[in-house]
Amino acid sequence: MATKREPGRDRVLLLVEDNLHNRQIFARVLTHFGFVVCEATNGAEALEVAREKKPDLILMDLSLPVMDGWEATRRIKDDPQLSSIPIVALTAHAMADDERRAAEAGCDHYLAKPISPKKVVAEVARILGDLEEPE
Ligand code: MN
């Protein structure tokens, strides 16, 4: 059995979310669990911060000003320096084809809002392989 570690230890996350309230809640809980959280409020900023910080994982809201999350995801996945970073789409969209569109843009995982911050922590830890439970 793999050693269970504190979920966030040594992990840098990029949290892309334009809603201040959501961003603060998720950042607070992720930080509490030991993640180092970088924030971006739109897709263009997400690209900049991703290039600067090379995060271990990106939580990407899809409806964003300036550049939406689909376009930001496409550009990150087109960049050889960034393409291996897992991107988790985090969206309130209720559209039936939303998950498919996120996958087509290059998102590796998909979480539908509303979702509790603790559930996000559990999913991020699972994706990063920090929990012992098998897939
Ligand atoms: Mn949004």
Side-chain angles (χ1 to χ4, degrees), residues 17-19 61-65 113:
E17 167 66 80
D18 61 322
N19 180 284
D61 183 23
L62 293 176
S63 290
L64 295 165
K113 290 190 278 192

Side-chain angles (χ1 to χ4, degrees), residues 28-104:
R28 188 175 303 140
V29 175
L30 288 161
T31 301
H32 173 77
F33 279 91
F35 292 97
V36 176
V37 181
C38 309
E39 300 179 23
T41 61
N42 65 63
E45 197 183 351
L47 265 176
E48 278 177 35
V49 178
R51 287 181 178 132
E52 188 189 329
K53 303 286 187 182
K54 302 285 194 322
D56 294 293
L57 183 145
I58 299 172
L59 287 167
M60 180 75 79
D61 183 23
L62 293 176
S63 290
L64 295 165
V66 185
M67 179 194 297
D68 68 34
W70 290 283
E71 182 62 23
T73 296
R74 275 189 286 272
R75 294 191 190 200
I76 288 166
K77 291 300 183 180
D78 276 345
D79 184 334
Q81 302 281 318
L82 306 176
S83 59
S84 65
I85 301 171
I87 299 182
V88 181
L90 195 58
T91 178
H93 280 219
M95 304 287 290
D97 68 344
D98 209 47
E99 187 167 355
R100 181 184 56 77
R101 286 184 65 209
E104 280 175 1

Side-chain angles (χ1 to χ4, degrees), residues 112-126:
K113 290 190 278 192
I115 184 169
S116 76
K118 282 191 176 179
K119 172 81 172 157
V120 173
V121 169
E123 285 295 309
V124 167
R126 187 185 63 78

